[in-house]
Amino acid sequence: MEGTGRRESVGGQQGVIKNIERELVCPSCKELYTHPLILPCQHNICHKCLKELLYLTLEDSTDVSSEASTPGSPRIRMTSPSVERIDRLVRSASQRSSLGRRGSKRNSLTPKITTISCPGCLHDVDLGERGINGLFRNVTLEAIVERYRQAARAATAIMCDYCKPPAQESTKSCMDCNASFCNECFKINHPWGTVKAQYEYVGPTNQFRPKVLMCPEHEMEKVNMYCEICRRPVCHLCKLGGAHANHRVTTMSTAYKTLKEKLTKGISYLISKESQVKDQLSELEILIKQTESNGEKAKEDATYNFEKLYNILEERKSFVMRSIENSKSLRLEKLKNQVEEYQGLLENNGLVGYAQEVLKETDHSCFVQIAKQLHIRIQKASDSLKSFRPAAQPGFEEYFLDVAQEEDLLGEIAFSKALAMPEINMEQSKIYNKARICWQEPSDSLSADSYVLEYRRLDKNEDLLWNEIETANTSKILSDLELNSQYCFRVKGFRGSTSTPLSKEVVLHTPPAPVFSFLFDDKCGYNKEHLMLNAQRDTVESMAGISLLLGAERVQVGCYTCLDYIIGDTGITKGRHFWAFSIESHSYLVKVGVASDIKLQEWLHNPRDISSPRYDQDSGHDSGSEDTSYDSSQPFTLATIGMKKLFIPKSSHVTCTAAERVIPLPTRIGICLDYDEGKVGFYDANIMKCLYERDVDCIGTMYPAFALLGGGAIHLEEVITANHLDYSHEI
């Protein structure tokens, strides 16, 4: 019964073990591993296969040496070397390598077998001075292979090694005794209360791995440490004075725990993505079917095109043959007529014979009646004899076909430019109030007739259903995307029944709130002397002119120069809103944020004291105690930008150093105002990442606010409208 239970257990594991067969096959012999060794590149190979590789490497080196000494000697290759031959050559190679190290100057052509090509990764791998002897045996892989073999031969029982004939089916294998036992024999040989009772036993097996992993460098030492640099187990002698003396090592238990945690996390992640893997497998199966059908369609198209060429050639051949035959018939007819005519000039034939008969006429009137016309004919015949010319030429040179150019063209028949995979242009693509996705094709490829843009939202559920939109142009505007969400985009092209591969996927983030549209206000607080608006009022530029230089003269007496402020022409009284803009890289000092209309009116009506001792460099009043009262009196909540940097403002709840408050300036900056919650956030609008958020006192109407000092410019982000729809192919 117990043997039956064992077979059922093995049978239950067989389905699981069978699925990992590809991981248990040696990349060299394509069979299950036998005594696998771990190469320095971390790939595995059978012990015997590695010897064969070393033999082939040694043979190549020997051939090179032989050819160097006797260039004319032929090379004789052995196709199936025996194991004994391999062992003998490998041992001799090791001996030569050892001798070569002692006296390499004696024979520079002596081969040193230390490098092979790994059959797993195809990279050259240096085995080191010890060669095979310096490699670890992968006992874990060996055990898994044995379990696979057991599952494969589940119906074949492993018999007890200690039973008297007839032997019973074994139920256990002792890893210390290296033998298999039935229940009775196991109890007899491992009595309770003895040391053998503590021996390790497993299910029946014919493969017994070593109890303790020994160091290949120091064969009498157990490995008890893990080298983090070489990523391999080592013994204490390796650390004390060996190759790992200066390497960072850790205990085996720590390495076991760390690597097991990493492996467990990796396995858990893959298991959690099982549905995604299945979906991708389904997609690959669809691609396989499409490849098969498209391949057959391509063959049919090629056959059709060649048939068209054949038909054209047959048609031209018939035309040429017909033309030559017609010319031949016409010429023969002319020549035969000429032959008949000249035959008439012979005596008693034709014209001459007829004329001779006419001369016999004695009646004068009758003779005169026909003699005149006959004389003309004889005169013409006499003239033709004087200037003989054939009625037709026998040559057909004008019908020679010059097909050299056509031969070249036919010889160069090749596939037309293939449809190349389109690529989404990240510089032109963006998401603002809508999404504008633009793509392009390589210039040396065929243009597609139409495209299909696919997109889907990325969320925790990772919905793999793609939305598809077809277009004939190289851009598309998408609406109704959810706010504060990531979307993945990809595109493929079509030309007839042929399609391109899908482009690389790109991910774009939607704004955190609805886009707020406004223009710069050219009335409230607008300084025409220092600021210049364009006609569309979506760009403002600060001009560092004479007036700024005149104001700077008073710096020596403790004065400061004012910022030039400008606000949006539309305000916010509720809800969450987002807007974006870009700042010219040459801008010296720019501040961006929001402003309250109530505080703004008070601030504009009360003259600003430009000689405040707070800003006098020598007054000593520029203390942190004034920051709170000063901030509360200001109508603006701003972040500072300048010299291609963004400076996060000081705040009581932000504990970061001055260096951490300075970050590179994004090419597009976004601001999100939550009027109801009283918060304003500053964003990198390219990736919609919040860089800084702070509380703001939202009273009255809040306006987008900007300030400039010195040279600089601000460009409001252009709202995506229908005017942006469908870029043409020429763009």
Side-chain angles (χ1 to χ4, degrees), residues 591-592 631 637-640 646-654 656 661-662 682 691-694:
K591 292 199 172 190
V592 296
D631 287 344
T637 301
L638 304 171
T640 304
L646 188 148
F647 301 85
I648 297 177
K650 291 182 179 179
S651 179
S652 59
H653 63 276
V654 176
C656 56
R661 293 195 300 111
V662 180
F682 300 87
L691 305 175
Y692 167 71
E693 186 179 66
R694 65 174 294 172

Side-chain angles (χ1 to χ4, degrees), residues 7 83 199 226 344 366 376 386 424 463 478 491 569 589 661 724:
R7 285 194 296 269
V83 176
Y199 282 1
Y226 182 79
C366 291
I376 293 174
K386 295 176 182 178
I424 295 180
D463 183 14
L478 301 177
V491 65
D569 62 353
L589 176 60
R661 293 195 300 111
H724 297 93

Side-chain angles (χ1 to χ4, degrees), residues 120-261:
C121 60
L122 304 180
H123 290 107
D124 290 338
V125 178
D126 188 2
L127 302 181
E129 295 182 355
R130 288 177 56 84
I132 292 181
N133 297 329
L135 301 179
F136 276 105
R137 180 176 167 186
N138 194 337
V139 293
T140 302
L141 176 59
E142 197 169 345
I144 296 174
V145 171
E146 175 57 24
R147 289 201 295 271
Y148 176 83
R149 285 196 174 100
Q150 289 180 8
R153 59 172 185 262
T156 305
I158 297 175
M159 308 311 292
C160 176
D161 295 326
Y162 283 78
C163 277
K164 294 180 180 180
Q168 299 293 319
E169 184 179 345
S170 65
T171 59
K172 300 178 181 66
S173 292
C174 180
M175 303 305 291
D176 294 276
C177 300
N178 290 347
S180 298
F181 301 88
C182 65
N183 282 337
E184 294 300 327
C185 293
F186 186 81
K187 293 177 182 178
I188 294 172
N189 289 274
H190 300 78
W192 184 260
T194 64
V195 176
K196 286 189 175 182
Q198 306 299 321
Y199 282 1
E200 178 186 1
Y201 63 91
V202 294
T205 180
N206 288 327
Q207 300 292 326
F208 299 95
R209 66 179 185 179
K211 183 69 176 176
V212 179
L213 196 63
M214 307 301 290
C215 177
E217 298 286 340
H218 310 91
E219 298 177 355
M220 303 302 296
E221 298 294 332
K222 301 177 183 178
V223 293
N224 53 7
M225 290 179 286
Y226 182 79
C227 178
E228 296 181 352
I229 305 299
C230 302
R231 296 181 180 178
R232 60 177 294 175
V234 296
C235 69
H236 69 284
L237 292 181
C238 293
K239 176 59 179 172
L240 289 177
H244 308 272
N246 298 322
H247 293 181
R248 184 173 66 253
V249 298
T250 184
T251 62
M252 194 64 71
S253 59
T254 302
Y256 171 82
K257 182 179 179 181
T258 302
L259 294 175
K260 191 168 186 178
E261 287 179 356

Side-chain angles (χ1 to χ4, degrees), residues 66-85:
S66 301
E67 289 180 357
S69 59
T70 58
S73 60
R75 299 183 61 179
I76 302 176
R77 301 296 299 265
M78 294 179 62
T79 57
S80 57
S82 64
V83 176
E84 292 77 8
R85 167 72 171 162

Side-chain angles (χ1 to χ4, degrees), residues 363-377:
D363 188 304
H364 291 186
S365 59
C366 291
F367 178 82
V368 171
Q369 183 181 8
I370 61 173
K372 182 62 177 179
Q373 185 64 30
L374 183 60
H375 181 265
I376 293 174
R377 291 180 61 190

Side-chain angles (χ1 to χ4, degrees), residues 103-111:
S104 59
K105 295 182 180 179
R106 297 178 185 178
N107 186 4
S108 60
L109 296 177
T110 300

